[in-house]
Amino acid sequence: MISRRHNPKAPRGRLPASPLRAVVAAVCIFLILLVGAAHLLHVHPADAPTEGNCSLCLVAHLAASPAPVVAGPAIDAVLRAMPPPEPVLAAADSTVLAFHIRPPPVL
């Protein structure tokens, strides 16, 4: 059972707020913002090669590696062999509701 000695009126199931938890949360948010700013502001000189020398570039390129297409031509052949779908014709008359909608109340 969770101790509620710090705040007896705290709702059941919630941990009491502590200064340490607030500090850890603030540090995590600061680190996320710092790393995001480092990625955003990261540049190389125009004449410098970036092939494998920069750890930020390596991480950015490793995170978005494309998956190989294995069954592309086979699926294309199956789709070409299928007949085209028949056109769907909509009904021309209006839809009749089985239940009537009641009128607004009279004041």
Side-chain angles (χ1 to χ4, degrees):
M1 178 155 198
I2 297 171
S3 172
R4 297 188 321 173
R5 67 178 177 201
H6 295 293
N7 186 0
K9 294 184 179 184
R12 232 184 146 104
R14 290 192 65 190
L15 294 173
S18 68
L20 178 63
R21 185 179 291 177
V23 169
V24 169
V27 167
C28 288
I29 291 172
F30 174 74
L31 287 175
I32 289 172
L33 292 175
L34 181 70
V35 170
H39 279 277
L40 181 67
L41 300 174
H42 177 75
V43 293
H44 291 282
D47 58 348
T50 60
E51 313 269 332
N53 296 334
C54 177
S55 61
L56 283 175
C57 292
L58 285 174
V59 169
H61 290 263
L62 286 177
S65 60
V69 177
V70 178
I75 292 174
D76 187 44
V78 170
L79 290 177
R80 288 184 190 274
M82 291 176 53
E86 296 179 14
V88 178
L89 300 175
D93 57 346
S94 63
T95 305
V96 177
L97 297 175
F99 300 103
H100 298 287
I101 299 174
R102 70 179 176 101
V106 178
L107 297 176

